């Protein structure tokens, strides 16, 4: 199982490859606001753990394991953003809140949050009811 730091790298690499078709060490460093040397160390570890294949000066590609993990991590992040929006968290707080909680929830908790998001999305009146409760509690 990847560590929270490894998850951040896998998620970012997955997003870069989806967006640009490739992920260079410099792109990853910029996206995560870390030094390229830190990226190189982590990429080597991810290579060793078979999440990607890294060849110095040639770049990297995600393995099937890395792609599957990356896709799941992006899903988790997006789902948590969606959930926080539904429950009325201020838009300018959502990203940092997700970053703060995403590594501390079990996949079972993520699945239950997914159920709750589905529950609210199936009937928008449920969201309106929640908003009324929030308004009355303010």
């Amino acid at each position: 199982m990847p560590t929270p730091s490894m998850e951040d790298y896998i998620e970012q690499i997955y997003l870069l490859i989806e967006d640009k078709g490739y992920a260079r060490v410099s792109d990853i460093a910029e996206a995560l606001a870390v030094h390229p040397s830190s990226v190189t160390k982590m990429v080597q570890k991810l290579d060793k753990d078979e999440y990607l294949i890294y060849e110095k000066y040639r770049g990297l590609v995600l393995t099937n394991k890395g792609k599957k993990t990356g896709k799941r991590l992006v899903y988790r992040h997006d789902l948590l953003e969606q959930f926080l929006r539904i429950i009325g968290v201020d838009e300018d707080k959502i990203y940092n809140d997700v970053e703060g909680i995403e590594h501390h929830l079990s996949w079972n908790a993520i699945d239950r949050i997914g159920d709750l998001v589905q529950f609210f999305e199936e009937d928008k009146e449920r969201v309106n009811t929640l908003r009324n409760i929030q308004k009355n509690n303010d």
Side-chain angles (χ1 to χ4, degrees), residues 10 14 50-52 62-71:
I10 295 167
Y14 180 86
E50 300 179 346
Y51 289 100
L52 54 81
L62 289 170
T63 62
N64 286 338
K65 176 182 175 181
K67 287 177 192 171
K68 182 178 176 183
T69 303
K71 187 174 185 173

Side-chain angles (χ1 to χ4, degrees), residues 9-129:
Y9 278 85
I10 295 167
E11 181 179 5
Q12 194 58 58
I13 291 166
Y14 180 86
L15 288 170
L16 284 166
I17 291 172
E18 285 292 302
D19 184 47
K20 297 169 72 170
Y22 61 90
R24 298 180 313 209
V25 167
S26 59
D27 298 324
I28 300 164
E30 183 180 336
L32 294 174
V34 297
H35 293 317
S37 60
S38 298
V39 174
T40 300
K41 286 178 191 170
M42 179 59 78
V43 164
Q44 289 168 342
K45 178 162 182 35
L46 292 171
D47 181 47
K48 179 177 161 282
D49 290 349
E50 300 179 346
Y51 289 100
L52 54 81
I53 299 168
Y54 173 67
E55 294 181 29
K56 195 172 182 177
Y57 307 116
R58 300 222 33 205
L60 57 92
V61 293
L62 289 170
T63 62
N64 286 338
K65 176 182 175 181
K67 287 177 192 171
K68 182 178 176 183
T69 303
K71 187 174 185 173
R72 192 166 189 202
L73 294 171
V74 169
Y75 165 78
R76 176 182 70 187
H77 187 101
D78 291 346
L79 178 68
L80 290 172
E81 282 189 359
Q82 197 176 3
F83 172 68
L84 294 180
R85 257 184 214 98
I86 286 171
I87 64 170
V89 173
D90 294 339
E91 195 64 36
D92 64 329
K93 306 269 190 287
I94 289 176
Y95 181 82
N96 286 335
D97 285 350
V98 169
E99 288 297 312
I101 64 173
E102 66 184 341
H103 301 295
H104 301 285
L105 296 172
S106 68
W107 285 103
N108 181 254
I110 296 298
D111 289 341
R112 298 302 64 84
I113 289 169
D115 295 341
L116 192 56
V117 166
Q118 181 181 349
F119 173 79
F120 278 106
E121 287 186 337
E122 285 177 352
D123 183 351
K124 295 300 181 186
E125 190 54 40
R126 294 170 181 158
V127 175
N128 293 334
T129 301

